[in-house]
Amino acid sequence: MEITKKVRDGDVRTVSRLIRNIEDRIPGAKDTIKHIFPHTGKAHVIGFTGSPGAGKSTLIDCLVAELRKRDKTVGVLLVDPTSPFTGGAILGDRIRMQRHALDPGVFVRSLATRGALGGLSKAVGDAIHVLDAMGKDFVIVETVGTGQQEVEIINHAHTVVVVLIPGMGDEIQAIKAGILEIADIFVINKADRDGAGKLYRELMYMLSMADEFPGGWKPPIIRAENMFAADSFGKSLHELTDTINAHYQNLVDKHLLGDRILRKAMLELNEALHNAILDPVLTELVETGDMRRMADMLLKKETDPYTLADEVAGKYLRE
Amino acid sequence: MAKRKLRIMVAKPGLDGHDRGARVLARCFRDAGYETIYTGCHQTPEEIAAAAIQEDIDCVGLSCHSGAHRYLFPQTVKQLRELGGDDIQVIGGGVIPTADFQMLYDAGLKGVFTPGVTLPDIVKWIEENIVPNIRD
Amino acid sequence: MYFTKELLDKTSRMRKKWEDEVKKAVAKHADLKGDWSTVSSLPINRLYGPEDIKDTNFEEDIGYPGQFPYLRGNQVTGYRGRYWTFRMFSGFGTAKDTNQRWHQLLNAGQTGLSTAFDFPTLMGYDTDDPKARGECGKCGVAIDTLEDFLVLVDGIPMDKITTSMTINPPATALWAMYCAAAEIKGIPLTKIGGTIQNDMLKEFIAQKTLMCPPDPSVKLISDTVEFGTKHVPRWNTISISGYHIREAGSTAVQELAFTLRDGMEYVEDVIRRKGLHVDEFGPRLSFFFNSHIDFFEEIAKMRAARRIWAKAMRDRYKSTDERSWWMRFHTQTAGCSLTAQQPYNNVIRTATEALAAVLGGTQSLHTNSLDEVWCLPSDFAVEIALRTQQVIAEETGVTNTIDPLAGSYFVEALTNEMEEQAWDYIHKIDDMGGMVAAIDRGFPQMELADAAYKYQQQVDSSEKIMVGVNKYVTDEEQEIPLLEIDDALETEQINRLNEVRRKRDGKAAKKSLDDLKNACKKEENVMPYCIEAVKNLCSVQEICDVYREVFGEFRDPAMY
C-alpha cells in the first residue's frame, strides 16, 4: 500500500494527515494502521506526566535537543485538553518546541483530548504506532498535565517520567492522583527553588515504603535546576537521558519489555474488540428500536437488566 | 461519517512581540470550537510552514505589527507550497496598510484583516471560507 | 478629612434626598445603559461627594506640590517654570533618514529626542541575520554599528538635547554607542543626558522583546544603573514602563501595579547585587506610562503612581533623599485606543489622552499620530500630533495652575481606589517571591491575557464603544497619506555593515568581544567593555551574541 510506504519513508505530510484521520475516525485510517502495524515496535516510547506548571514541555524540548545530539530521531505527541463547553482547544505546548521545527529528525504533533479521560487522547495509541513506523527512535508523549488521574500513559509508554516541582503542594496531590505508582523516573524540576529538599525526602520516604519494584528498578529521582544555569542543567539532562536509556535496557535485560508491550496490546485489543463487536450490536439495537423497548420493560419492572443482557448476548454471540 | 474538526494555527512571523491580537485570536478560535495551535512569537516563515505541515492545519493566521508583512506573509505561503501544503489557506492581520492588500492577495493569501475587525466577523469568515479537507 | 461630623451628617442627608430623586427620575426615564465603568471596567458611581473621601487625610495623602507624598507633583512651580518635554518618538529607515527627521522636529519646536529602533536592532540582531529578513528600517531606525550611530546623531547638540532611546535587551550596546559618540565629539559623559528604556521585566510580561532569561537580564540593568550612577550622572538608566503592559491589554490598575512592582524589583536588585544605597541611584529611576482614553481613570492613575512610589521609597526602602521619592515619568498616548476606521478621529482621541497626561502631571509626552494603526507616521501626521501638545500647553490654560483636579471628590476617590487595588496586586506579587518569580509562574501574563480577551469581547458585543468600529460606522473609506519604507533599504544597510566589517581592525574587535565575554562570566560590570567593543566597531548582534552565549537565550513561553 502506497501510504504505508510513504509513512515508512518518513513523508511528513502523509504522517500528519494519517494522524488527523485517526483523530477524526475516518474509516480508511483503520486499514492503514493494519498495514503499518507489522512495522512497529522499534521505538522507545517515553511518557511525561506531572502537575501543571511543572515544566514538562520545556523539559521535553531539552530532552529532544539532547537526543538529537546523540543522533537519535524523535517523534513528539503533545496532548492538551479540549474545552468541554466549546469542543475547541488551544494546543500550546508546541511553542516550547518550535526551535526543532526545521529539523527533519524531529516530528512534533499536538493532540486534543476530545473528551477522553486519563490525560491522553484516544488517538494517542495509534499515533504512537505511526511515528514508530515512521522510523523515529524515540516517541515522547506528554500528557495533559492537569494533575488529575493521568495514569493512562502507563498503557502506552515503556518509560514513564513523572515531573514535579517544589513548593506547589503537589506532593500530596500527586500521591492522591496515583501518579507516583506509575513513575519509572522522577524529575524534580526547578530544584533550585525552596522546598526541593523536602520534596526529595518525601519521595525517598514513599519509595522506601514499597516492598519491591518490578525488575528491581527503583525509580531514580533526578534533580533538574534552573535550566539557564547551563552547566548544572546540562548535567541533569545527561543524567535524565542516560536514566531513560538505562530503564529501557533494564526492561530488556529482565525480560519485562514484553509485559509493558503486552499491556498496550491488551488495551488495544480490548478497544478493537469493543469497536468490532459491541459497537455494531449497540447501533443495531438503537436503530431497530429494541433498545427503547427493553428500556420500557425495565421501567415497568417486567424484567431486569441482567436477564435482558443475557438474552441479547445469547442471540448475537450465536451468530 | 465522522466530521472533520477544524485545525487552525495562529502564528507570529518576524521579530515583533506584539502578541495581544494573536493571543486573543487563539482564545477566540478555541471558543469557536476549533483546535488551535499557537506558535508563539518570533517565528520565521520556514518554521511556521514546517509546523503547519506537521500539525495538518487547515488555515494559518499570521499576525505582524512590524511592517515586515510584505516579506513575511508571502514567504510563508511560498514555504507552505514548497512543503506540499497546497490546500493550507493563509490569512493575515496586524498593522497592514490597505495599499498592501492586493500585493498580499497576489502572493496567495486568502484573507487580510484590518485592525478593528471583530472576532465574530473573523469566525464567520472562517466558517464560510475554510473547509477542512477530507481528500484521503 | 476636612469634614466635621456635623457636615458629613448634613451631606449624607442631602445625598439621601438626591438618591431618592434619582430613583424617581430613573423610573420615569431609564439610564442610557446599565454599565457605567471605565475602559478598564472599574465601576464608577453616578456621583461622588464628601462621604467618598472622608477618610482621606490632607497632610498624609494629598499635601502640596514638592511635598510628600507628591500626589500633586514633584515640581513646586508646576508647569509655570517649564512645560513637559515635547518628546516625539521617531525613527525609521536608515540612520540618515532618522537624523533628517530629528532636525526637522527640533526646528518645529520639539524639545527632546526619542529614538525608535527597528526590530532587528531591538532584538539584538544585525540587518543581515536570517531572522531579520524583511524588517530593516520598517518600525524604526536600523543601527548595526557605531558608524550608523554617528550618522544618527550628526549635528545634534548632545550636551544640550536629551535623548531617549527605546531599547531593551541590547540597551548596554546602544547606550555604549551614545557614550562613545559623545566622546568622539569631545563631550564628557557628565554632560550628556537622556534615557534608555532598559526595562526587561515588562518585556517578559508584555512586549516580548526577549533575549536572555530574567535573572541575567536584571543583572545587566543593574550594571547600567551602577555605571550611570558613577559616570553618567545625568542619564536615566531605566524607564520603568507600564506603556507596553497597557498596550498588551492590561487594565489601568494592572498597569499601575505591575509597573511599580517592576520598579521595586529593580531597586531591590541593585541594592542586593551592587551594594549601592537606595539614594545613590533612586533619583535616576524614571517611569513611562500609557495615557488611555478614559480621561479621569488616567489622571487618577498617574496621581496614585506618584503617591505609591513616594511611600514605597520612603517606607519600604528607607530612602531619605526626597529626590528618590519623586516619580518622574514620560507618557505616551495609547496606540491601542486608535482605530483604523475613520482615522481622523484619532486626532481627537490623542488630544484627550494628552490632556489627561498633562492633568496627571507628566514630565514628558509623546502624542501618537493619527495614522499609526496603519504604519509609521507620515510627516503630516507627526506634525499634527506635535501641534496637539503645543495647543494644550499654550492655548488651553491647563498649565496655569498646578494639579487643578485635586480635591475633586471623584478624582480623589478614584485615586484612592486605584492605589488600594494596586497595593493588593503588589502584595500578592510580594507573596509570590517578587516579580521575577511571579513572571516565572505566568501570573502577570495571565492577568493581561484575561483582561485583553475580556475587553475584546466587550467591544465585539458593543458593551464598550469605539466610534467608527462598533458605533457610527460608515462604509466610506477615508484615505490618508501613508509613509512607505522602501524594501531596498535592507540591501543598502547590509552593504554598509559589510563595509564596516571589512575596514575595521578585526583583531581589536575580536579581543574586545572576548574581554566582554570574560567580564560577563566574572560578573563584572559590562559597560566599560561594551564601550570598548562599539569603539572597535563590533556590531549590536556581536555584543548580544556574547550575552546569549554566556547567559542563555530565553524564548517566550507564551501564556494565553
Side-chain angles (χ1 to χ4, degrees), chain A:
Chain A
M1 206 170 147
E2 198 202 1
I3 189 164
T4 312
K5 185 176 178 312
K6 277 188 167 176
V7 169
R8 296 191 62 203
D9 290 347
D11 183 73
V12 175
R13 191 90 174 104
T14 306
V15 166
S16 65
R17 177 45 58 106
L18 177 56
I19 293 176
R20 175 94 175 269
N21 287 346
I22 294 165
E23 286 193 283
D24 288 344
R25 302 175 143 243
I26 305 294
K30 209 159 76 178
D31 294 332
T32 311
I33 297 294
K34 287 181 194 168
H35 287 91
I36 279 173
F37 197 75
H39 306 291
T40 62
K42 298 185 196 77
H44 177 181
V45 183
I46 310 164
F48 272 74
T49 188
S51 42
K56 295 186 290 295
S57 303
T58 308
L59 203 58
I60 291 173
D61 167 58
C62 296
L63 178 63
V64 170
E66 178 65 27
L67 289 169
R68 292 299 293 144
K69 263 192 224 158
R70 300 185 186 196
D71 228 13
K72 301 293 181 192
T73 57
V74 192
V76 184
L77 297 169
L78 306 163
V79 186
D80 266 322
T82 296
S83 159
F85 304 107
T86 67
I90 297 183
L91 310 171
D93 293 331
R94 188 184 181 97
I95 294 168
R96 272 86 167 177
M97 287 162 224
Q98 263 302 84
R99 67 166 154 155
H100 305 294
L102 298 180
D103 179 351
V106 180
F107 180 96
V108 178
R109 184 63 152 71
S110 315
L111 302 169
T113 54
R114 299 196 182 178
L117 302 171
L120 292 177
S121 139
K122 275 213 153 105
V124 139
D126 283 337
I128 292 172
H129 286 320
V130 175
L131 298 186
D132 187 347
M134 191 186 183
K136 296 298 180 216
D137 298 318
F138 287 84
V139 176
I140 301 176
V141 182
E142 179 182 341
T143 71
V144 169
T146 52
Q148 303 300 317
Q149 295 274 352
E150 296 186 9
V151 293
E152 185 75 7
I153 187 68
I154 187 83
N155 295 320
H156 296 283
H158 302 114
T159 306
V160 174
V161 181
V162 172
V163 187
L164 300 168
I165 46 170
M168 301 280 280
D170 343 294
E171 305 84 356
I172 301 127
Q173 186 70 20
I175 295 164
K176 273 194 204 153
I179 281 181
L180 297 189
E181 288 87 337
I182 64 168
D184 298 306
I185 297 166
F186 288 103
V187 175
I188 299 181
N189 208 8
K190 308 182 186 180
D192 46 339
R193 285 194 186 171
D194 291 346
K198 180 165 170 277
L199 180 55
Y200 183 79
R201 286 191 299 276
E202 279 176 24
L203 282 175
M204 287 298 280
Y205 174 72
M206 281 212 2
L207 291 172
S208 72
M209 305 276 284
D211 300 333
E212 57 169 334
F213 298 98
W217 177 268
K218 181 177 171 185
I221 306 170
I222 295 168
R223 280 178 279 197
E225 294 192 0
N226 182 349
M227 62 175 289
F228 297 114
D231 292 347
S232 69
F233 187 77
K235 230 182 264 169
S236 309
L237 197 60
H238 268 275
E239 191 189 346
L240 175 62
T241 316
D242 291 345
T243 311
I244 286 170
N245 286 330
H247 177 256
Y248 191 80
Q249 195 54 48
N250 186 64
L251 289 179
V252 174
D253 293 347
K254 301 282 165 60
H255 309 291
L256 289 169
L257 200 55
D259 288 2
R260 281 286 175 118
I261 298 167
L262 184 68
R263 194 150 43 183
K264 176 166 180 166
M266 300 269 279
L267 182 87
E268 283 177 339
L269 186 57
N270 189 38
E271 177 97 12
L273 288 171
H274 204 282
N275 291 343
I277 300 171
L278 193 57
D279 281 358
V281 174
L282 290 174
T283 310
E284 193 181 310
L285 288 177
V286 170
E287 280 171 0
T288 56
D290 280 350
M291 190 71 103
R292 181 59 204 253
R293 272 191 291 280
M294 288 191 288
D296 285 340
M297 288 165 74
L298 288 180
L299 283 180
K300 291 180 198 146
K301 302 277 174 198
E302 289 173 1
T303 179
D304 64 282
Y306 301 105
T307 308
L308 285 175
D310 283 343
E311 280 173 17
V312 172
K315 179 180 164 206
Y316 282 97
L317 286 180
R318 225 175 300 118
E319 289 173 14

Side-chain angles (χ1 to χ4, degrees), chain C residues 86-281:
Chain C
F86 302 166
R87 197 187 289 284
M88 303 294 284
F89 188 43
S90 62
F92 65 98
T94 61
K96 202 171 163 199
D97 296 326
T98 300
N99 178 264
Q100 279 170 5
R101 172 69 70 86
W102 280 5
H103 281 287
Q104 176 197 338
L105 284 165
L106 291 175
N107 289 336
Q110 171 160 311
T111 51
L113 295 170
S114 177
T115 325
F117 295 102
D118 70 355
F119 270 102
T121 311
L122 289 172
M123 291 287 289
Y125 295 112
D126 288 342
T127 307
D128 60 351
D129 188 275
K131 277 186 185 300
R133 278 297 301 278
E135 306 264 15
C136 175
K138 283 276 159 46
C139 227
V141 56
I143 301 289
D144 289 318
T145 66
L146 182 64
E147 295 271 294
D148 297 327
F149 207 93
L150 287 169
V151 175
L152 181 69
V153 296
D154 187 41
I156 303 293
M158 294 172 82
D159 48 349
K160 295 192 180 71
I161 290 281
T162 59
T163 306
S164 166
M165 294 194 281
T166 298
I167 190 81
N168 291 286
T172 49
L174 274 298
W175 191 34
M177 286 184 186
Y178 201 94
C179 295
E183 216 173 284
I184 288 167
K185 289 179 166 205
I187 300 166
L189 292 185
T190 49
K191 285 268 163 53
I192 60 172
T195 306
I196 39 176
Q197 193 166 77
N198 203 22
D199 166 13
M200 281 310 295
L201 290 175
K202 66 98 173 47
E203 296 295 342
F204 294 106
I205 297 171
Q207 195 178 231
K208 315 292 164 65
T209 313
L210 302 173
M211 192 168 81
C212 298
D215 187 68
S217 297
V218 175
K219 184 256 174 205
L220 286 174
I221 293 165
S222 292
D223 278 1
T224 60
V225 174
E226 182 185 44
F227 188 79
T229 302
K230 292 179 178 160
H231 306 289
V232 202
R234 291 181 57 214
W235 201 277
N236 303 310
T237 42
I238 184 164
S239 170
I240 304 152
S241 306
Y243 183 81
H244 319 81
I245 293 176
R246 193 66 180 282
E247 289 290 305
S250 83
T251 64
V253 166
Q254 287 167 348
E255 178 196 354
L256 177 64
F258 296 159
T259 308
L260 285 149
R261 190 58 189 77
D262 283 350
M264 296 174 198
E265 194 87 349
Y266 293 125
V267 169
E268 288 166 20
D269 192 80
V270 173
I271 293 173
R272 182 173 55 84
R273 210 187 294 258
K274 300 293 183 186
L276 294 181
H277 186 271
V278 60
D279 288 327
E280 285 182 85
F281 63 92

Side-chain angles (χ1 to χ4, degrees), chain B residues 20 116-120, chain C residues 39 452-466 469-471:
Chain B
R20 173 178 179 169
V117 64
T118 70
L119 297 178
Chain C
V39 72
Y453 191 44
K454 181 177 169 191
Y455 182 71
Q456 186 60 48
Q457 287 176 320
Q458 286 172 328
V459 171
D460 288 347
S461 65
S462 294
E463 216 177 299
K464 295 282 178 212
I465 299 300
M466 288 181 96
V469 174
N470 59 8
K471 203 167 183 180

